[in-house]
Amino acid sequence: MGKYILKRMINLAVLFVGITAISFAVIKLAPGSPAGIYSFNAKVKTDVSKRIEKLYGLDKPLWQQYWIWFKNILKLDFGTSLTDGRKVIDEIKERIPITLGINLIVMFIIFSVSIPLGLWAGYKQGGLFDKFTTILVFAGFAVPSFWLALLLMQYFGVDLGWFPISGLVSVDFDYFTLPQKIFDVAKHLVLPVFVASFGSLAGLSRYSRSKTIEITRANYIRAALSKGLPVRIIVYRHILKGVMLPVITILGLSVPGLLGGSVVFETIFSIPGMGLLFYQAVMMRDYTLIMGLLVISAVLTLIGNMLADLAYAWADPRIRYRRN
Amino acid sequence: MLNPQKNRLILLLSKKHSAFFFFLGVVLFLPLAGSAQSRWPQRGGAIVLSSIGSPRTLIPLLATDSASSIICSFIYNGLLKYDKNLNLTGDLARSWEVLDNGRKIIFHLKKGIKWHDGVEFTAEDVRFTYQKLIDPKVITPYSSDFQRIKRLAVRGKYTVEVIYKEPFSPALSSWTMPIIPEHILKNEDLNTTSYARHPIGTGPYKFHKWSVCRGIVELTAFKDYFEGKPFVSRIVFRVIPDTATLFLEVLTQGVDNASLTPLQYLKHANTPLFRKHYRKFTYPSHGFLYMGYNLNNFFFRDKRVRQALNYAVDKNEIIKAVYLGQAEVSTGPFTRDSWAYDFNSRPAEFSPLRAKELLKQAGIYDSDSDGILDKNGRPFKFTIFTNQGNMERKMAAEIIQKRLADIGIKVSIRVVEWTVFIDRIIKKKKFDAVLLGWSLSQDPDVYSLFHSSQTSEGEFNFIGYKNPEVDELLVQARREFDKERRKELYYKVRRLIYDDQPYMFICSPYSLSCIHKRFIGVCPKKGGYWYNFIKWWVPKQKQIHITAGF
């Protein structure tokens, strides 16, 4: 096992350097230049962009820039944003809790809804419930989230007035009591969380449905049935176990997604998360911020992959032995 | 839509020192007691504003994005400001003198003005701001106007003397630049200081809170403001990146002020519900849409060709289709709200026949009968570049394309992402024609747009316009402090430019916006409606937000 982990680690380090080098090159080669300060304004002098270039060493050759940047990264120094002069790490730090928090809720909902959904649909394959959920999850998958979001905002926000349109808290949040605050946040989260979860039900529920169908045909389930075990116990004890095992992989793979945040979703609901930060950084050609965000998501993806592999190896001895 | 009379009355009433109106008010409204109470300005409440992008810095010298600039405008003051009729007037300065043919400007500052932390504002702060503006280490884009200063001297606590290398009349407008506090920033690096996120100013509102995770910046009324404490107690800025969301927020009264698109203005904001809560405004903006020609282009070199194109495109059609009528045809770089606007100017008529005639004179006609005009065997084809994310420009380009196709010119359109557009297309001058808009400042100095010295990479005469007469007039206008004489010069500049057609001036869209009706005292003038914000107020029973700081 130790050797296996070591091998994986070396692999990861090489991958990491490769990822950063390629993304650095791609971003620098993309046309355009840091636009934060360069608004197209006749009163604004354009030599400012030259000053910025000098200040941040953007006039040096590409490989030198990369080397300087890479050395700093090893010291965990992500540099300062080209647009507002703040530390990249600080900008990321204030956004992470928002995206992470929402995504955890969303993921919790996806798992707790789509696995039972898939289980029942699979167990009662071809039944009314199966057909209904199939239509539902595929509709969720197919509907563009921004469109659904706007419809819901119009209906529940404007017409019925039940939920706030956007943002995470009310304008008067500071002056609320604690229960009011909790209620306020919850009210703001209903629409975004619903929209984000609804679109992602399909994948997992389809997966657990097909896995259920596969397991239901297995001999041990037939044995359990003929033993006279209640269906409830068969489904939740025996089938669920089989379905859950590969879920570990899915969990591992969703680690980077937890921090990624979607641009469309965050824009529509005015949620100042990581997705929006990344989008704005790209539009501004804020190189240091882009690279900071990329490194973090690359590291997380790699860690997520590794965790998934390790967990799998731990849970399923066949993999461990084959690799060794 | 507006009721000026009513507003005037309220405005007068809001001057609380006016004894006569107080008396009048008592006599008139005393019998009505309860209902009369709300007639008097009441403090409290909040206004919620929004911006598309999140603000970047609250140091006005560095701020270039509109969110930052708007927030800064509530926190800081300049020496001068534009009043409701867009005339320059004193802000931190009590008065100013222009001496020595405009080479010397002396500002007399108001006494007793306090920074938000209680320290007194003095001439030293002005000097400090100036030094930072010209400091090469500070990444400020606003240095150019201040680099014309030969010397800035502080004469006592309340007098600043500025000596220019040569007379420069736009200088006065440059002193609307917000002044920053020396006592706080003197040992700070402006580019990286954390002050950018908790600023101190002299303005009517002081900084209260900036919460990125909630997407808000909050300001509260400053009780020692030198023009009196504002009535509305809080200003909350929300970052709402999506315009569709913003409009839904307006519908639910989540935002009190928003600019509207023509479609929203005419249709979506024309419902009873909307009218119940909001007042809509329309006034001329100081921006205009134009098509700029690369004057080194084989076809566009000839003035007759450019004039012909101006005849061939129906601007009213663009206004009708793209702006739904919410714009007016422009006849030059000055817009209706500017004092340099010539009310006698008339746009060229729409006449494809005249266009064809002019083109023929220029030797351009369909010699090979393939339906496309040509000259010396070169077909008249060109590409209009415009930037991504601006639907209006794309639509306008399509209408131009159609109209020019009618007279036999083949136009293609390319929409390019903004930074690439600036970097590759504009700066490198790799275009035949660009469709863009300018939004100019209140001072009508258009030197950087049309003077022949401003054509190198990164400068704003990127079309390569060169007319010695215009050059001369622009220089003269920059040296002229007398407004009437300066106005005459700009009239001439406009006539020459319109005749030369380096741009096809298309139209100047109106500013469309709405504001929540609970605010009393809103009274739109030439310069918009924000000029008297500190006098706005909300009757207690209509204050939908919590009052703080009172």
Side-chain angles (χ1 to χ4, degrees), chain B residues 221-412:
Chain B
F222 176 43
K223 65 178 190 324
D224 294 327
Y225 185 53
F226 63 92
E227 286 184 355
K229 183 182 182 180
F231 288 96
V232 177
S233 81
R234 294 157 63 208
I235 304 180
V236 183
F237 290 90
R238 292 183 56 191
V239 181
I240 300 179
D242 186 71
T243 48
T245 307
L246 173 60
F247 191 70
L248 291 173
E249 281 284 0
V250 170
L251 289 181
T252 52
Q253 304 180 65
V255 171
D256 293 320
N257 163 256
S259 54
L260 304 171
T261 65
L263 184 65
Q264 286 170 341
Y265 183 84
L266 293 173
K267 235 178 144 176
H268 305 152
N270 219 358
T271 59
L273 180 77
F274 194 93
R275 281 198 300 264
K276 189 177 152 206
H277 295 303
Y278 290 89
R279 279 173 70 184
K280 293 192 289 181
F281 298 101
T282 165
Y283 51 91
S285 68
H286 36 262
F288 63 92
L289 179 75
Y290 66 91
M291 181 162 85
Y293 305 106
N294 187 339
L295 299 176
N296 295 318
N297 178 289
F298 173 73
F299 290 103
F300 298 140
R301 247 179 302 187
D302 193 328
K303 173 169 148 183
R304 287 169 297 187
V305 176
R306 301 184 315 252
Q307 286 173 335
L309 263 53
N310 194 33
Y311 283 117
V313 174
D314 185 359
K315 278 74 162 192
N316 282 311
E317 183 183 33
I318 294 176
I319 290 174
K320 232 160 123 188
V322 179
Y323 296 95
L324 309 176
Q326 301 300 311
E328 61 183 1
V329 180
S330 49
T331 55
F334 310 116
T335 50
R336 192 174 280 274
D337 61 333
S338 164
W339 52 261
Y341 180 80
D342 185 354
F343 281 88
N344 294 319
S345 58
R346 292 281 165 269
E349 76 273 18
F350 167 58
S351 165
L353 269 171
R354 265 192 91 176
K356 275 189 160 165
E357 229 167 77
L358 272 166
L359 287 172
K360 201 155 192 182
Q361 280 172 30
I364 302 174
Y365 55 94
D366 192 2
S367 64
D368 47 9
S369 306
D370 63 347
I372 296 174
L373 305 182
D374 53 80
K375 182 182 184 180
N376 304 342
R378 273 176 80 162
F380 197 168
K381 288 184 193 171
F382 73 97
T383 306
I384 300 176
F385 285 89
T386 190
N387 64 295
Q388 199 179 45
N390 193 317
M391 212 47 204
E392 280 102 13
R393 288 180 193 166
K394 200 177 148 236
M395 284 161 73
E398 280 161 4
I399 293 174
I400 294 172
Q401 182 183 38
K402 163 79 177 61
R403 282 298 171 192
L404 295 186
D406 287 349
I407 61 166
I409 300 170
K410 197 169 154 54
V411 176
S412 34

Side-chain angles (χ1 to χ4, degrees), chain B residues 19 48 108 129 154 164 202 234 237 303 470 484 494 509 545:
Chain B
V48 183
H108 302 283
T129 305
V154 169
Y164 283 84
T202 51
R234 294 157 63 208
F237 290 90
K303 173 169 148 183
V470 171
E484 284 308 310
R494 189 209 65 84
H545 295 291

